[in-house]
Amino acid sequence: MSCGKPHATDCREVLDKVYTYLDGELDENNCVDIREHLDECGPCLEEYGLEQVVKQLIAKHCGCDRVSEDLRAKVLTRIEQVRSELTG
């Protein structure tokens, strides 16, 4: 996904890191880059908002269950596949 406008951080890179950003697992430099991008890019901000709502919903209903890294990786891979199919 790209809004077609030039940004210091590419839209695809932002969306690839959005879950890591939401989890608070990015270093401060990457967080600043993501926040700056979201401040200036409406399409990515909209996508981020959707991702955040989904994450909050999952945390509310499944927050107590720990998930293996293998399962997390499989889910993220499938999400990326679907995203690629939708934008491809």
Side-chain angles (χ1 to χ4, degrees):
M1 170 187 196
S2 176
C3 68
K5 297 177 183 174
H7 299 285
T9 306
D10 183 67
C11 293
R12 170 66 83 191
E13 184 179 341
V14 169
L15 295 177
D16 285 345
K17 293 180 179 179
V18 76
Y19 282 111
T20 309
Y21 175 75
L22 289 171
D23 287 338
E25 296 174 355
L26 288 180
D27 61 62
E28 186 57 31
N29 288 336
N30 278 309
C31 285
V32 168
D33 291 344
I34 300 280
R35 282 191 295 267
E36 286 176 0
H37 183 95
L38 293 174
D39 284 344
E40 64 187 33
C41 184
C44 286
L45 182 60
E46 184 178 318
E47 181 74 14
Y48 166 75
L50 176 63
E51 303 288 353
Q52 190 171 29
V53 169
V54 169
K55 184 172 178 63
Q56 288 171 344
L57 181 62
I58 291 170
K60 180 179 178 182
H61 294 285
C62 306
C64 299
D65 302 331
R66 298 295 285 156
V67 178
S68 71
E69 285 300 315
D70 183 52
L71 177 58
R72 183 176 191 270
K74 287 178 183 177
V75 169
L76 291 175
T77 299
R78 183 62 185 135
I79 289 170
E80 184 58 37
Q81 288 171 345
V82 169
R83 182 180 288 150
S84 294
E85 290 170 7
L86 292 174
T87 60

